[in-house]
């Protein structure tokens, strides 16, 4: 799928940093988290690596705003189109996914795709949840704590997880009360909107790289995976096609000095 008028919907955003310098600082930051080379980081970071109209270009789509272009039935069919989706916790949850995205006023296809990639289509341990038989304290890495009721807690976006301690995401799930699928969906959408999409990081590319703050080096980046933006963007593009919908998308592409 390629929009013939795509270029009319692109805004180029000036970044006050040079691409080679930003790539070098990011390489120093991520080199211990995977088998990455400086060239791999530079290629992933360079906006010119991605051709206009390709699936990957959705990494530059503005994620602000609920579009209303998808129905619950379409979301359910997207999920059931994948074997892991049919067997995961999101089976039959199309309406709940849309409701969460609508309440947070974020792009629903993005929200869907982010969770599918993050949770292996609802089959990961974070998605299936962890059951606490007794009430107890949840401690966050920020030093905050809260007494939490017994129950099964889920975290669909790995919120609070770190490369060195992914299980910390369950403490965050308990702290925020994500003890049902609906609560975990609403919480995920609210956190993404508040701390990223409506905090100046309104595209997948910005969430991953935070190029608006490039002059400061790597800061407030959602993850360390170089393929994270591409994987979510491709999932978005494929499922727009699967649903038979041409998205009303606008794009924000960084331009380095």
């Amino acid at each position: 799928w390629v929009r013939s008028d795509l270029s009319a919907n692109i805004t180029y955003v000036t970044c006050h940093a040079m691409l080679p310098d930003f790539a070098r600082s990011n390489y120093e930051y991520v080199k211990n988290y995977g088998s990455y080379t400086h060239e791999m980081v530079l290629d992933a970071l360079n906006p010119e690596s991605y051709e206009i109209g390709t699936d990957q270009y959705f990494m530059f789509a503005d994620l602000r705003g609920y579009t209303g272009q998808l129905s619950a039935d379409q979301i359910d069919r997207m999920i059931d189109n994948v074997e892991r989706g049919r067997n995961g916790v999101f089976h039959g949850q199309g309406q709940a996914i849309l409701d969460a995205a609508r309440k947070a006023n974020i792009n629903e296809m993005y929200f869907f795709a982010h969770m599918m990639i993050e949770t292996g289509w609802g089959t990961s341990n974070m998605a299936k949840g962890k059951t606490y038989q007794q009430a107890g304290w949840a401690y966050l890495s920020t030093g905050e704590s809260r007494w939490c009721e017994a129950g099964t807690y889920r975290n669909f976006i790995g919120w609070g997880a770190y490369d060195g301690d992914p299980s910390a995401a369950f403490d965050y799930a308990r702290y925020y009360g994500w003890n049902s699928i609906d609560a975990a969906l609403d919480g995920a959408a609210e956190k993404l909107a508040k701390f990223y999409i409506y905090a100046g990081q309104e595209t997948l590319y910005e969430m991953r790289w935070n190029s608006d703050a490039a002059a400061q080096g790597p800061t407030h980046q959602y993850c360390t995976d170089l393929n994270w933006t591409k994987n979510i963007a491709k999932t978005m593009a494929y499922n727009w096609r699967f649903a038979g919908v041409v998205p009303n998308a606008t794009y924000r592409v960084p331009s380095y000095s």
Side-chain angles (χ1 to χ4, degrees):
W1 168 82
V2 178
R3 286 272 301 272
S4 59
D5 63 340
L6 186 62
S7 60
N9 296 323
I10 299 174
T11 298
Y12 292 96
V13 181
T14 300
C15 299
H16 300 288
M18 298 185 68
L19 181 62
D21 293 341
F22 194 36
R24 191 175 302 109
S25 62
N26 271 281
Y27 169 67
E28 292 299 323
Y29 179 65
V30 303
K31 66 182 181 182
N32 295 322
Y33 294 105
S35 301
Y36 301 132
T37 65
H38 176 266
E39 290 72 22
M40 291 168 66
V41 174
L42 178 60
D43 183 66
L45 185 60
N46 188 356
E48 294 182 3
S49 298
Y50 310 103
E51 185 178 350
I52 295 174
T54 60
D55 289 358
Q56 296 178 73
Y57 210 74
F58 274 106
M59 72 172 66
F60 302 116
D62 193 330
L63 306 176
R64 293 173 294 183
Y66 179 78
T67 75
Q69 289 189 278
L70 295 171
S71 68
D73 180 66
Q74 286 171 313
I75 296 289
D76 284 333
R77 286 191 285 113
M78 292 174 199
I79 293 168
D80 288 347
N81 188 46
V82 176
E83 182 178 359
R84 287 182 298 167
R86 292 193 295 273
N87 297 320
V89 302
F90 296 125
H91 174 73
Q93 296 295 328
Q95 188 61 59
I97 291 171
L98 289 181
D99 288 345
R102 177 181 51 77
K103 282 184 274 189
N105 197 29
I106 60 176
N107 184 285
E108 60 269 40
M109 179 62 88
Y110 148 72
F111 183 55
F112 158 82
H114 186 156
M115 290 189 301
M116 297 307 121
I117 293 300
E118 198 79 46
T119 68
W121 291 82
T123 63
S124 70
N125 290 335
M126 292 291 179
K128 290 185 286 188
K130 182 176 180 179
T131 299
Y132 294 82
Q133 301 293 346
Q134 297 179 339
W137 288 96
Y139 297 94
L140 305 188
S141 59
T142 56
E144 299 166 282
S145 62
R146 178 171 293 169
W147 182 261
C148 305
E149 298 299 323
T152 298
Y153 291 83
R154 308 170 193 270
N155 193 327
F156 294 144
I157 54 171
W159 195 261
Y162 297 90
D163 291 308
D165 186 15
S167 65
F170 282 123
D171 287 322
Y172 279 78
R174 293 174 68 210
Y175 183 88
Y176 290 116
W178 298 347
N179 57 358
S180 69
I181 289 178
D182 284 354
L185 286 170
D186 289 347
E190 185 268 333
K191 295 299 180 190
L192 292 168
K194 180 178 179 180
F195 291 100
Y196 287 91
I197 297 171
Y198 285 97
Q201 292 172 261
E202 59 280 318
T203 69
L204 285 167
Y205 183 95
E206 279 297 326
M207 291 175 70
R208 171 60 187 87
W209 298 108
N210 195 15
S211 59
D212 285 349
Q216 302 173 36
T219 181
H220 201 253
Q221 297 178 342
Y222 191 86
C223 63
T224 56
D225 183 1
L226 295 188
N227 294 314
W228 182 81
T229 55
K230 290 182 280 190
N231 290 337
I232 297 177
K234 288 178 180 178
T235 301
M236 291 171 66
Y238 174 85
N239 283 287
W240 280 123
R241 289 193 295 269
F242 181 79
V245 175
V246 176
N248 296 324
T250 59
Y251 302 83
R252 296 177 60 82
V253 181
S255 177
Y256 292 92
S257 58

